[in-house]
Amino acid sequence: MQKNADFPWHTLTPEEVIQRAQTSPVHGLTMEEVNSRQRIHGKNKITSPKRNSPIKIFLLQFHQPLVYILIAAGITTLFLKEEIDAIVIFGVVLINATIGFIQEYKALTAIESLSKMIPTEVTVVRLGLRQRIPAEELTIGDIVVLESGDKVAADIRLLRVRDLQIDESALTGESIPVTKTVAPLAKDTVLAERTNMAYSSTLVTYGAGTGVVVAIGSQTQIGKINQLIASAESLSTPLTQNINKFSNLLLYVILALAGFTFAIGFLRGHPLLEVFMTSVALAVGAIPEGLPAALTITLAIGVSKMAKRNAIIRKMPAVETLGSTSVICSDKTGTLTQNQMTVQWIYAGKEYYEVSGVGYEPQGLIHQGDQPIDIHNNQALKECLVCGMLCNNSNISFQNSKVNIEGDPTEVALLVSALKAGLSRSTFANTLSRIDTIPFEAEFQFMATLHQIEDSPNTIAYVKGSLESVLPKCSHVLLANGDRIPLEPSHYISIANLMAQSGLRVLAFAMRYFDDKQRISHTDILEGLTFLGFQAMIDPPRPGVEAAIKACKGAGIKVKMITGDHELTAFAIAQKIGIVESTQTPKEAVLNGKNMPYLSDFALQDIAQRVSIFARFAPEDKLRLVKALQAQGEVVAMTGDGVNDAPALKQANIGIAMGKNGTAVSIEAADMILTDDNFCTIKVAIEEGRGVYDNLIKFITWTLPTNFGEGLIVMVAVIADVTLPILPLQILWINMTTAGFLGLVLAFEGKEPGIMSNLPRSPKKPLLSKTLIFRIALVGILLCIAAFLFFNLTLSQSQNLAHARTMAVNTFIMGEIFYLFNCRTLRYSLIKIGFWSNPLLLAGSVVMIGVQILYTYLPFMNSTFGSAPLTLEEWFWIFIAGFCIFIIIEVEKLIQYLLFSEK
């Protein structure tokens, strides 16, 4: 019944669920019923939507303006019978297409990972018998038995539970296992709080339960996430958008200028072949053949740098997108925090005690002010710690500097706080051996254990639980000196509320002595307990997160927290690490997911800009939030580790998955993976991304004057009706050699000073600013003038066309070498960043000069490219021309800096 998919099963009683599902809790379904329902609902499999074949994905890599330009360049070089150059150009096209295909195809496998998350076998009751069946054979109405360690195979409405706890972090983002119940809930209960449901792909961590299948395959919550992933739009990066616009413009300009050149030559009556070759020369000169290779290599270097700093890039353009990021939507647990619950405060014997140290490492002390506390002289504090340690089902061990935990993170935190006081469970194995237990149940909100006192018939019961469940059972309170005084409940309620308002999770502890009691029941601890105190804990922020957030804010980047946790807990952490201001209140800073259905997209856009914390968010809520921010023009980076994060990760401009604790689905949907799951790494990656973008702009600013100058020199020659100073083959030589030996070394340029003090670059901002366009035109004109001048002077003196053209070619290349040093920093003087700070650039310049010496003097090169030897004096003037270009541009940069530094 497809109508079951969205039915609010959590609102029904177990009896109503059985009736609606038309099944039996004792006998389950018959095989006839199973077959009938499978014909209606199909198998318990997540169906993948139809998408492009691998061949089509590969062919689409060529459907880009920049690739069209490269193919045109390759065809042109083939026409010129320069097969090697053509092979190089086509090789660049093929490599770029192959890399793009691999990245895109891997990214689209996220949905396939979902189906792998469903377990292979489950335990069901059919025909009154327990049996193991393949998970895909489950159908609506099946009775499923859940036990510790099981992965839930379908969405299940629970009928019976026994201490059942399920880890739903991958689905809801909730960091603590959820204790399950069977009682009906309100219809508007959010997914993370539906305690009577068990959802597909979640993990049973403790206890056991039985339930009825109410949704399978694509109709489960995990299946709906699959549909959200499929519907999420894969956005092109700002760089991709800008390069496409730039390439389109360049393509039209080249075609227009080549057509203009052809028309002038044709109208003047020149031979068609000569006119065509001149137009080809202009086209070859104007095409930046090295740009795609530079783009790929610069991004690849950025990828390599980030990998060394714990950030793995799956899609190379994401490197640059990081530099444009204006909003980071970060998951709280494990990214901003350590995902290790830590006791920070203890209140016992009417005194506060602070616990130092963070995480599960037992390094730290219990102290009051500056004074460490000896628990052996403080009976209340000692008993509070012993209670938390012994009334506990979890375990912690240490092996080869590695911490291994089993059980609830909250209980592990209690074990660690006891260890910091020098207490260990093994010490009490004989003196206080456990003989009976009342397990934790959501209905009662406490756990109790009974312990035999060594060499005595007496026993002692330890109780831990919520304030509301433990405090009413207490009549007295234990003091530090061992005395017991009557309890004042209002005092302890106010203390607990104060701690809770700080985002701390508060547990209460109590005890009671018995004479010769070997079994414990609820009636035994209804009253007469001695209150021991509170332990208050929190998942602490990661070291360095506060500084990283401050740096992001200084760079104009807004940081927003998205979590499955409660509002106050999230708010406390956000305040501590600087996401929200100290003057803000939870009401101002937090949006609860339960309000999302009532918000229009327009209203959400407004709230998304003002609010910094988003608590109790469902998968579709996260997706809506990302879209709302993008609608406001934001470039959104979204972090996540669970299945529930995958749709938003794919929709975000850059999705960031967690490498340590992330699910396969979130990793496949992401553009970047953090191998240390640390928010600080995002700040580092953004800094690297900005550096990568700067280096790309430097390359474009460096290479375009050459193309402009070459195109200009051909046009001037055509308009003036004079001999071409540079041949098409020589233009191709200049472009290919300089791009390889000179331009690509800019990819290794370091980050400029103050890179994280600049505001994020708007995606709407053009690739090149007006200042850079002016500089490109200026250098292109200077190169054209210098090359034309030396060409004409040399031709008039030697009457040797090859000699004159060699002067023009070397003038262009020397000008590019000097201009390369200008482009090391587009705003500051070369002195500020240091002349020697990029040794590869110096080496590339030396190699380029060496190559030009071979070009000028080797007979083979002379015959191939039409070059001729130059005198030492001619080299001197070429050097002077290049140096003059360098000085002019440095002066222009200084003027621009003085004019616009205040703006």
Side-chain angles (χ1 to χ4, degrees):
M1 294 173 288
Q2 295 291 0
K3 60 183 180 182
N4 286 340
D6 297 314
F7 184 81
W9 291 95
H10 59 279
T11 63
L12 304 182
T13 64
E15 293 75 19
E16 290 171 333
V17 171
I18 291 297
Q19 185 178 3
R20 183 174 179 86
Q22 298 174 14
T23 187
S24 165
V26 177
H27 301 288
L29 299 176
T30 65
M31 288 312 299
E32 290 77 12
E33 289 172 322
V34 168
N35 294 332
S36 172
R37 296 186 187 200
Q38 284 182 347
R39 282 194 294 270
I40 297 171
H41 304 296
K43 297 285 188 179
N44 182 30
K45 294 193 300 183
I46 293 174
T47 55
S48 299
K50 186 178 180 181
R51 48 182 198 258
N52 290 335
S53 67
I55 293 175
K56 187 172 182 180
I57 292 173
F58 179 72
L59 292 177
L60 285 172
Q61 305 304 314
F62 298 93
H63 185 55
Q64 302 174 42
L66 200 59
V67 174
Y68 297 153
I69 296 174
L70 274 178
I71 292 172
I75 293 171
T76 302
T77 52
L78 273 179
F79 183 82
L80 295 170
K81 297 185 179 179
E82 293 299 321
E83 291 84 0
I84 294 176
D85 291 326
I87 289 171
V88 170
I89 294 173
F90 287 129
V92 168
V93 172
L94 190 60
I95 290 170
N96 286 338
T98 302
I99 292 173
F101 165 75
I102 292 171
Q103 299 296 336
E104 185 175 343
Y105 190 71
K106 283 174 66 179
L108 290 174
T109 58
I111 294 172
E112 294 174 7
S113 295
L114 282 163
S115 59
K116 296 176 184 176
M117 295 191 66
I118 296 178
T120 54
E121 287 192 338
V122 292
T123 302
V124 298
V125 176
R126 286 181 179 174
L127 298 171
L129 299 174
R130 272 197 182 200
Q131 49 188 289
R132 297 283 287 174
I133 65 168
E136 66 176 33
E137 294 297 324
L138 276 178
T139 190
I140 304 296
D142 260 323
I143 302 298
V144 176
V145 179
L146 298 174
E147 295 177 336
S148 181
D150 286 348
K151 184 170 274 190
V152 183
D155 285 0
I156 296 170
R157 173 58 166 92
L158 296 168
L159 303 176
R160 292 187 298 276
V161 296
R162 189 179 73 252
D163 309 331
L164 182 63
Q165 294 182 15
I166 297 181
D167 179 359
E168 297 181 343
S169 57
L171 183 65
T172 66
E174 173 64 71
S175 56
I176 297 171
V178 179
T179 301
K180 293 298 180 178
T181 63
V182 297
L185 301 169
K187 187 174 182 179
D188 61 352
T189 304
V190 296
L191 187 72
E193 296 175 358
R194 294 177 189 171
T195 54
N196 57 16
M197 297 290 296
Y199 291 108
S200 178
S201 85
T202 59
L203 181 67
V204 178
T205 60
Y206 189 76
T210 302
V212 58
V213 174
V214 295
I216 60 171
S218 297
Q219 299 302 317
T220 62
Q221 291 297 324
I222 200 80
K224 292 174 184 177
I225 291 174
N226 166 53
Q227 295 165 21
L228 289 175
I229 294 175
S231 65
E233 183 182 357
S234 294
L235 301 178
S236 58
T237 68
L239 178 66
T240 306
Q241 294 167 0
N242 283 327
I243 287 290
N244 284 341
K245 290 177 186 175
F246 173 72
S247 302
N248 278 321
L249 178 63
L250 192 60
L251 185 62
Y252 297 140
V253 169
I254 290 170
L255 292 175
L257 292 178
F260 176 72
T261 303
F262 185 87
I264 291 177
F266 179 75
L267 292 173
R268 286 183 172 169
H270 294 298
L272 280 178
L273 182 60
E274 180 186 328
V275 173
F276 177 72
M277 290 304 293
T278 302
S279 301
V280 166
L282 187 143
V284 169
I287 293 173
E289 290 89 352
L291 182 55
L295 182 65
T296 301
I297 291 171
T298 304
L299 292 175
I301 290 168
V303 168
S304 176
K305 285 181 179 179
M306 290 184 189
K308 293 175 183 175
R309 303 185 74 174
N310 300 316
I312 296 173
I313 302 295
R314 295 186 65 249
K315 303 171 186 177
M316 284 202 294
V319 178
E320 178 274 332
T321 310
L322 279 163
S324 308
T325 299
S326 59
V327 176
I328 301 173
C329 294
S330 177
D331 186 41
K332 177 184 74 70
T333 305
T335 306
L336 294 170
T337 65
Q338 299 186 40
N339 198 18
Q340 296 184 357
M341 293 297 287
T342 305
V343 174
Q344 292 189 334
W345 291 94
I346 300 174
Y347 188 79
K350 289 199 168 185
E351 296 283 347
Y352 281 105
Y353 302 95
E354 190 172 358
V355 185
S356 62
V358 294
Y360 294 147
E361 293 286 349
Q363 297 170 353
L365 296 170
I366 298 175
H367 53 92
Q368 195 172 42
D370 296 329
Q371 297 299 316
I373 299 298
D374 182 1
I375 63 166
H376 299 291
N377 297 324
N378 191 318
Q379 194 68 19
L381 177 60
K382 181 180 178 181
E383 288 293 350
C384 185
L385 290 166
V386 170
C387 180
M389 178 180 66
L390 297 183
C391 187
N392 195 313
N393 287 326
S394 298
N395 289 294
I396 184 168
S397 59
F398 307 91
Q399 189 174 14
N400 300 325
S401 301
K402 185 179 179 182
V403 180
N404 300 305
I405 68 165
E406 297 175 18
D408 190 320
T410 300
E411 290 192 328
V412 174
L414 298 175
L415 296 177
V416 174
S417 67
L419 286 170
K420 289 176 181 177
L423 301 172
S424 66
R425 193 181 280 164
S426 59
T427 308
F428 294 86
N430 295 321
T431 57
L432 288 174
S433 57
R434 187 195 290 193
I435 57 175
D436 199 13
T437 303
I438 298 177
F440 180 89
E441 293 181 61
E443 182 182 354
F444 300 107
Q445 290 294 308
F446 73 86
M447 172 184 176
T449 54
L450 185 66
H451 300 264
Q452 182 71 57
I453 299 174
E454 188 179 27
D455 299 328
S456 170
N458 298 334
T459 55
I460 182 172
Y462 285 119
V463 181
K464 82 164 188 294
S466 67
L467 171 75
E468 296 80 8
S469 65
V470 174
L471 202 61
K473 297 176 173 59
C474 299
S475 58
H476 291 77
V477 60
L478 185 67
L479 299 181
N481 61 6
D483 291 343
R484 294 193 308 159
I485 62 173
L487 180 74
E488 302 170 28
S490 60
H491 171 73
Y492 292 95
I493 290 170
S494 64
I495 295 294
N497 288 340
L498 192 63
M499 288 179 167
Q501 286 169 11
S502 299
L504 296 166
R505 188 177 190 203
V506 182
L507 287 181
F509 301 87
M511 61 181 286
R512 182 180 177 181
Y513 286 99
F514 293 99
D515 296 328
D516 195 23
K517 179 175 280 293
Q518 299 299 303
R519 291 287 180 266
I520 190 171
S521 66
H522 283 270
T523 56
D524 295 322
I525 53 173
L526 280 176
E527 58 183 9
L529 301 186
T530 298
F531 185 74
L532 301 176
F534 298 121
Q535 291 195 51
M537 63 192 71
I538 199 167
D539 183 6
R542 281 180 173 270
V545 161
E546 185 178 357
I549 288 172
K550 186 177 180 181
C552 287
K553 285 188 169 182
I557 302 166
K558 296 170 230 171
V559 181
K560 299 183 183 293
M561 177 193 288
I562 306 179
T563 178
D565 275 347
H566 294 281
E567 294 180 33
L568 286 177
T569 304
F571 182 78
I573 290 290
Q575 238 183 4
K576 187 173 287 190
I577 60 182
I579 288 180
V580 297
E581 303 300 327
S582 57
T583 55
Q584 286 183 285
T585 64
K587 188 175 181 180
E588 296 169 327
V590 183
L591 174 65
N592 194 305
K594 67 182 180 183
N595 298 318
M596 286 292 284
Y598 310 107
L599 292 175
S600 66
D601 290 342
F602 182 76
L604 181 59
Q605 289 174 23
D606 177 59
I607 293 173
Q609 290 289 351
R610 293 186 285 105
V611 170
S612 300
I613 304 168
F614 302 87
R616 294 303 204 194
F617 259 43
E620 57 270 21
D621 297 334
K622 295 183 180 185
L623 186 59
R624 280 189 67 197
L625 175 64
V626 172
K627 288 180 176 180
L629 289 167
Q630 289 171 336
Q632 294 287 305
E634 305 285 6
V635 176
V636 181
M638 167 79 184
T639 77
D641 57 4
V643 177
N644 63 323
D645 297 318
L649 288 175
K650 188 180 177 188
Q651 175 67 36
N653 299 86
I654 176 162
I656 305 171
M658 304 298 114
K660 279 185 176 179
N661 298 313
T663 60
V665 178
S666 65
I667 289 172
E668 288 296 335
D671 305 291
M672 183 173 87
I673 302 161
L674 304 183
T675 58
D676 59 355
D677 292 9
N678 195 338
F679 181 88
C680 298
T681 304
I682 301 174
K683 176 258 177 186
V684 169
I686 287 174
E687 192 172 355
E688 289 290 349
R690 290 188 172 193
V692 165
Y693 184 81
D694 279 357
N695 289 346
L696 286 171
I697 297 302
K698 288 172 186 177
F699 176 85
I700 293 170
T701 305
W702 171 80
T703 194
L704 286 187
T706 306
N707 302 115
F708 177 62
E710 289 165 345
L712 194 60
I713 206 169
V714 172
M715 280 198 65
V716 170
V718 170
I719 293 170
D721 202 14
V722 297
T723 305
L724 280 178
I726 305 177
L727 294 171
L729 187 58
Q730 292 170 337
I731 290 174
L732 191 61
W733 166 265
I734 294 171
N735 291 351
M736 298 302 287
T737 55
T738 55
F741 295 121
L742 298 179
L744 292 182
V745 296
L746 285 172
F748 297 91
E749 197 63 47
K751 295 183 287 293
E752 294 202 17
I755 196 168
M756 285 298 283
S757 62
N758 302 324
L759 294 176
R761 180 180 44 82
S762 169
K764 297 178 182 178
K765 190 176 179 181
L767 197 63
L768 298 172
S769 66
K770 292 178 181 178
T771 299
L772 294 183
I773 291 172
F774 171 79
R775 188 175 301 165
I776 288 167
L778 176 61
V779 176
I781 291 168
L782 291 173
L783 287 171
C784 178
I785 291 172
F788 237 118
L789 179 64
F790 285 152
F791 171 77
N792 286 319
L793 285 174
T794 306
L795 187 60
S796 63
Q797 290 172 4
S798 68
Q799 300 297 314
N800 186 327
L801 194 57
H803 186 187
R805 282 176 170 155
T806 305
M807 278 291 289
V809 168
N810 280 307
T811 299
F812 257 94
I813 287 177
M814 191 62 70
E816 286 190 79
I817 291 173
F818 274 97
Y819 182 51
L820 184 69
F821 286 87
N822 294 122
C823 289
R824 289 192 58 201
T825 171
L826 298 178
R827 189 179 182 198
Y828 303 109
S829 165
L830 181 61
I831 298 170
K832 184 164 185 175
I833 63 170
F835 184 81
W836 305 101
S837 57
N838 187 349
L840 282 175
L841 186 138
L842 298 171
S845 300
V846 170
V847 170
M848 189 69 245
I849 291 171
V851 168
Q852 278 311 109
I853 290 173
L854 297 177
Y855 171 89
T856 305
Y857 296 106
L858 276 185
F860 167 74
M861 302 296 278
N862 296 156
S863 60
T864 303
F865 291 96
S867 58
L870 302 179
T871 65
L872 193 59
E873 182 183 354
E874 288 169 331
W875 278 111
F876 171 76
W877 287 112
I878 289 170
F879 181 87
I880 291 297
F883 183 71
C884 287
I885 290 174
F886 172 80
I887 295 298
I888 290 169
I889 299 307
E890 285 299 298
V891 171
E892 182 263 342
K893 280 200 290 184
L894 177 61
I895 293 170
Q896 295 282 2
Y897 180 78
L898 294 174
L899 287 175
F900 300 110
S901 60
E902 301 274 330
K903 296 183 180 180

